[in-house]
Every structure is written in C-alpha cells, then in structure tokens.
Amino acid sequence: MKTSSVDVILFDLGGVLIELAGVEKMLEWSKGLAGTDDLWRRWLQSHAVRAFETGRIGTDEFAVRLIEEFGVPVAPAEFLHAFDGWPRALYPGAKELLAELAPHFELASVSNTNEMHWQRFTGEWTLDQSFHHNFPSHRVGKLKPDAEY
C-alpha cells in the first residue's frame, strides 16, 4: 500500500546538493556590481551565461564573452581555471540522502549548468547516477527560471 502521494522528487543541484563558490571572486573582479543580488540578476540575464548554460557555445567562447560582458580583468584561461572550481563540493550527506530516497521515489535533477561543470558532477562525483533522470540546462537547452524550462 502506497503511503505517500509523492511519486517524483525534483532536486536542483547548485546550492541544494552542491556547495557553490565563486560569488566573492566575481564581485572582486566585477567592480560595477552592487552586491550578490546584482551579480545573480546579471548572471541570469547574461548573454554569455545563457548561451553557455544552454549548450549553444563552448567553454572558450563563453570565457571571452563573459569577460567582456562583466569587465573581468583576467585572461580567459585564468577565468576558466577559477570557474571550474565554483561547484566546490557535494554537501555532506547528499549522496546518502539520494540513496535513501531512490528506492521509494523517482528522483530527477534539474540544474542550470554547463558542459564543464557537468563533467565534474558526473565524473568526479558520479552524481548523475544517484538520479533516475537528469535535466541539465546545457543538454535541455533551457534555463531556470524561464517558463519554457
């Protein structure tokens, strides 16, 4: 007998299961930003971010375009080196929680992400294997919070 009306649990990854870093560095690099809220607003509206995280441009083009948009005073290689570490780590207990839920619920991930970070999620952390379905934005071609996603 089923004890719950919940069939599927949809998890965001960044800030929910994955600890994020990089905000401080972007604020340091982008002197024109008024703070964290301004950074996130501009990040989600950025043409470079939207193109990269929906899979329309590659890593190198993303770095060049983002540096130009935000006025970041570093070379693309330095930016990408820092950007690679922005998903810092899985939060403690994240995989254990998913393992406990998986036999009882259909688990899915949805995330604004890109080919660079997704390789870490799937290779280094094998996080994709904890879900029945994964919907990373760079493969879906849509971003949260856009209604089309």
Side-chain angles (χ1 to χ4, degrees), residues 60 67 93:
D60 293 337
I67 287 168

Side-chain angles (χ1 to χ4, degrees), residues 6-80:
V6 175
D7 295 320
V8 178
I9 301 175
L10 182 64
F11 282 89
D12 195 350
L13 298 180
V16 176
L17 298 175
I18 298 171
E19 179 186 5
L20 299 177
V23 170
E24 299 83 13
K25 185 52 78 177
M26 275 302 289
L27 289 172
E28 177 188 323
W29 282 339
S30 306
K31 300 295 184 194
L33 295 174
T36 303
D37 290 342
D38 191 29
L39 169 61
W40 285 120
R41 181 187 55 74
R42 286 212 33 219
W43 187 266
L44 289 174
Q45 293 174 353
S46 162
H47 294 293
V49 170
R50 295 183 71 78
F52 185 48
E53 294 202 342
T54 56
R56 295 191 317 263
I57 63 172
T59 305
D60 293 337
E61 185 176 348
F62 164 66
V64 169
R65 289 174 57 179
L66 185 106
I67 287 168
E68 183 178 316
E69 273 186 52
F70 280 79
V72 173
V74 298
E78 183 179 346
F79 170 78
L80 289 173

Side-chain angles (χ1 to χ4, degrees), residues 85-103:
W86 289 9
R88 182 174 290 155
L90 290 177
Y91 281 118
K95 287 188 88 169
E96 293 80 4
L97 171 65
L98 296 171
E100 185 177 321
L101 294 172

